[in-house]
Amino acid sequence: QVQLVESGGGLVQAGGSLRLSCVLSTRAFRDITMGWYRQASGKQRELVATITNGRTPASGGTTNYADSVKGRFTITRDNAENAVYLQMNSLKAEDTAVYYCYCRGTRPFDTPRDYWGQGTQVTVSS
């Protein structure tokens, strides 16, 4: 069973920082894109950032960010730990949302499948 276990959410003042972590429970995927989406109250879920698994364990992979977080958030991954991280700096009240870890994994000879974590609340007070 594929699981994404998130941690690191919480309450922070505007201008502060938080770091989210997500660990993937399986190493069965040949190709993996991992990342973060968020959903604010009353709004649709939206992309925050994603990162591919790169061609070698040493390479960082290709990143993609929502315009609203560019320059403030940084996504990284640790292939040895099978984990992805989101460093969030200069947080704003509008960053308040439930943040979901995301994985699109492809097993050998299979089609890509999407998986989601349970979500972690990030609240930024102004």
Side-chain angles (χ1 to χ4, degrees):
Q1 184 178 1
V2 176
Q3 289 186 317
L4 294 165
V5 180
E6 303 145 333
S7 60
L11 173 65
V12 65
Q13 288 189 332
S17 298
L18 281 175
R19 185 176 186 247
L20 304 182
S21 301
C22 175
V23 178
L24 174 62
S25 65
T26 179
R27 294 187 182 274
F29 297 134
R30 177 194 65 204
D31 297 310
I32 307 173
T33 294
M34 296 186 71
W36 297 89
Y37 281 69
R38 67 186 181 187
Q39 187 166 18
S41 180
K43 295 187 177 182
Q44 290 189 330
R45 191 173 297 189
E46 63 177 5
L47 168 75
V48 177
T50 59
I51 185 168
T52 62
N53 61 326
R55 293 183 177 276
T56 68
S59 65
T62 301
T63 58
N64 179 46
Y65 294 94
D67 288 342
S68 60
V69 306
K70 283 180 180 177
R72 300 188 298 122
F73 291 10
T74 302
I75 187 169
T76 56
R77 65 187 296 158
D78 185 329
N79 291 331
E81 296 294 327
N82 224 23
V84 64
Y85 307 98
L86 186 69
Q87 178 65 43
M88 304 184 293
N89 298 328
S90 302
L91 282 160
K92 306 175 181 179
E94 50 264 42
D95 294 318
T96 296
V98 177
Y99 284 69
Y100 294 92
C101 184
Y102 162 79
C103 170
R104 171 163 289 184
T106 306
R107 301 175 190 270
F109 312 110
D110 197 1
T111 57
R113 298 176 189 271
D114 292 340
Y115 304 90
W116 296 92
Q118 78 282 1
T120 185
Q121 178 70 45
V122 171
T123 302
V124 183
S125 62
S126 56

